[in-house]
Amino acid sequence: MEIMNEISYSMRLQQMRAGARVNSRVRLTLLWDEAGEHHEVHGYTVDISPKGCLAVVPQGFAVGQKMKMRNSINGNISDARLIWRGHEGRTGWELGLELDNPPQDFWGLDF
């Protein structure tokens, strides 16, 4: 049974991380509105893909939270949604963020 669980986990992980990914540290800002107030928090990516990133930010969010993400290097902005929240480390929370129809050059790279 344990082997089956490992295989199942491995398959789910592959599906979640489908597509090209690049290890890249990009400074970013997450922006959202809550209780009528505008909020933002700064963080950085661990890896990026055309559809999102794994980021570290000093605030945790609920899975499903919608926000905007700004690439601090080129200023590009896209709607985003939290699809995975990992562990809280010394520098912040690991967050899996999915971009919603980002500009083709959101990261400034060709994938």
Side-chain angles (χ1 to χ4, degrees):
M1 186 68 168
E2 187 173 323
I3 292 173
M4 238 2 214
N5 287 338
E6 287 180 32
I7 292 170
S8 176
Y9 175 76
S10 176
M11 291 175 72
R12 284 194 318 261
L13 192 58
Q14 284 177 342
Q15 288 174 343
M16 278 182 12
R17 301 193 82 181
R21 299 188 80 80
V22 176
N23 290 336
S24 182
R25 188 169 176 141
V26 176
R27 290 181 305 131
L28 57 84
T29 303
L30 300 179
L31 310 115
W32 73 100
D33 292 320
E34 186 177 314
E37 294 185 23
H38 179 73
H39 300 274
E40 63 181 61
V41 65
H42 303 282
Y44 60 91
T45 64
V46 174
D47 64 33
I48 60 175
S49 77
K51 295 184 179 191
C53 66
L54 173 60
V56 176
V57 299
Q59 177 167 338
F61 295 93
V63 171
Q65 168 93 30
K66 293 182 179 183
M67 59 196 75
K68 293 198 180 290
M69 182 189 310
R70 181 175 55 225
N71 178 331
S72 297
I73 293 174
N74 61 21
N76 286 337
I77 296 177
S78 177
D79 290 328
R81 182 173 58 93
L82 181 67
I83 59 172
W84 177 82
R85 184 177 71 188
H87 300 289
E88 182 179 19
R90 291 187 316 250
T91 58
W93 286 90
E94 297 174 333
L95 304 178
L97 295 157
E98 179 179 62
L99 299 173
D100 183 24
N101 296 317
Q104 187 172 1
D105 65 343
F106 182 81
W107 297 116
L109 295 174
D110 291 329
F111 283 91

